[in-house]
Amino acid sequence: DIVMTQSPDSLAVSLGERATINCKSSQSVLYSSNNKNYLAWYQQKPGQPPKLLIYWASTRESGVPDRFSGSGSGTDFALTITSLQAEDVAVYYCQQYYTTMWTFGQGTKVEIK
Amino acid sequence: QVQLVQSGAEVKKPGSSVKVSCKASGGTFSSYAFSWVRQAPGQGLEWMGGIIPIFGTANYAQKFQGRVTITADESTSTAYMELSSLRSEDTAVYYCGRDYLVRGAIRYWGQGTLVTVSS
């Protein structure tokens, strides 16, 4: 299975500041035939199921605020929240869907400083 | 609007099995991938496996091979996950999910089913 490793495990950011979460895959999730990275990001708030934020590493899901952005390619990815809002407090997960056995990162908890 | 409604909470004895259902409504059932993802208390998300009903064959995470069975009933638009040989470490919330535009990006989620394994 592809192992997804996120860093840091948690971070505290002031309201209005930038938060960046990193995700590294144990092998490339870039499919050369279509030049797409098979990588998604999710947000999960307590007591709720996850919510899809981004797919193809950088395509924002409909309705997701544009302060959320994804970047990276191959094995190294990032989710950036510019201007953190109170409602962004959550745990964020990356997930690869490159192989038939999908895997998640361990999660990164984002809090307000 | 797509909705996934899961069966209710379960309490099981160690060594027994549990079968959780996920009934889909509001969209085409057969051509999308249904996944099962679990979350132990205070822990992260763990993909267990999935199925595309029109193809019928399920894929499983290596960790659960031999212990989990995922099926889908097209006649009732319901996906199922059965986990056997339960142990206390299987206590978790089990979510079903379905993709949409992108195979693998799980857009729709059920409400979760708490399975408690306790003697």
Side-chain angles (χ1 to χ4, degrees):
Chain A
D1 295 2
I2 296 178
V3 177
M4 309 299 290
T5 304
Q6 294 180 225
S7 62
D9 288 333
S10 64
L11 74 162
V13 176
S14 300
L15 287 171
E17 296 299 304
R18 176 188 299 254
T20 299
I21 300 165
N22 299 298
C23 174
K24 189 174 185 67
S25 58
S26 60
Q27 66 183 74
S28 176
V29 298
L30 173 63
Y31 193 38
S32 56
S33 67
N34 60 9
N35 202 37
K36 287 185 181 292
N37 288 282
Y38 285 56
L39 190 286
W41 288 96
Y42 298 84
Q43 174 194 66
Q44 188 181 32
K45 297 181 179 180
Q48 296 182 18
K51 174 187 175 184
L52 177 64
L53 296 177
I54 285 169
Y55 54 91
W56 297 139
S58 60
T59 302
R60 209 177 297 116
E61 171 71 347
S62 174
V64 172
D66 60 7
R67 64 179 180 273
F68 291 92
S69 64
S71 62
S73 185
T75 61
D76 292 280
F77 301 90
L79 174 70
T80 299
I81 312 171
T82 57
S83 189
L84 188 79
Q85 305 298 303
E87 61 265 31
D88 302 333
V89 169
V91 180
Y92 294 84
Y93 297 90
C94 61
Q95 175 229 341
Q96 66 80 19
Y97 47 96
Y98 181 82
T99 66
T100 56
M101 296 183 194
W102 306 338
T103 47
F104 288 92
Q106 81 275 17
T108 295
K109 187 174 186 178
V110 174
E111 300 172 306
I112 305 294
K113 186 187 292 184
Chain B
Q1 177 71 343
V2 173
Q3 270 199 307
L4 303 178
V5 178
Q6 298 181 222
S7 49
E10 303 260 15
V11 179
K12 293 292 183 180
K13 300 283 189 192
S16 67
S17 299
V18 67
K19 190 169 186 176
V20 182
S21 67
C22 170
K23 184 168 176 60
S25 63
T28 305
F29 177 76
S30 299
S31 54
Y32 293 103
F34 286 82
S35 290
W36 288 91
V37 175
R38 79 176 186 180
Q39 188 167 38
Q43 302 301 308
L45 303 174
E46 187 171 32
W47 185 81
M48 300 177 69
I51 189 169
I52 302 172
I54 199 170
F55 297 138
T57 303
N59 291 308
Y60 303 114
Q62 210 159 0
K63 174 178 178 177
F64 299 101
Q65 290 269 5
R67 211 160 63 92
V68 68
T69 304
I70 293 172
T71 56
D73 183 341
E74 293 181 75
S75 69
T76 59
S77 299
T78 304
Y80 297 92
M81 184 283 301
E82 184 170 22
L83 187 62
S84 62
S85 302
L86 290 170
R87 36 213 189 224
S88 58
E89 310 89 89
D90 294 318
T91 294
V93 174
Y94 290 76
Y95 292 104
C96 69
R98 202 210 81 175
D99 59 18
Y100 179 49
L101 296 174
V102 176
R103 175 74 73 235
I106 305 171
R107 187 195 224 196
Y108 301 107
W109 294 82
Q111 80 276 20
T113 296
L114 175 62
V115 176
T116 303
V117 183
S118 173
S119 54

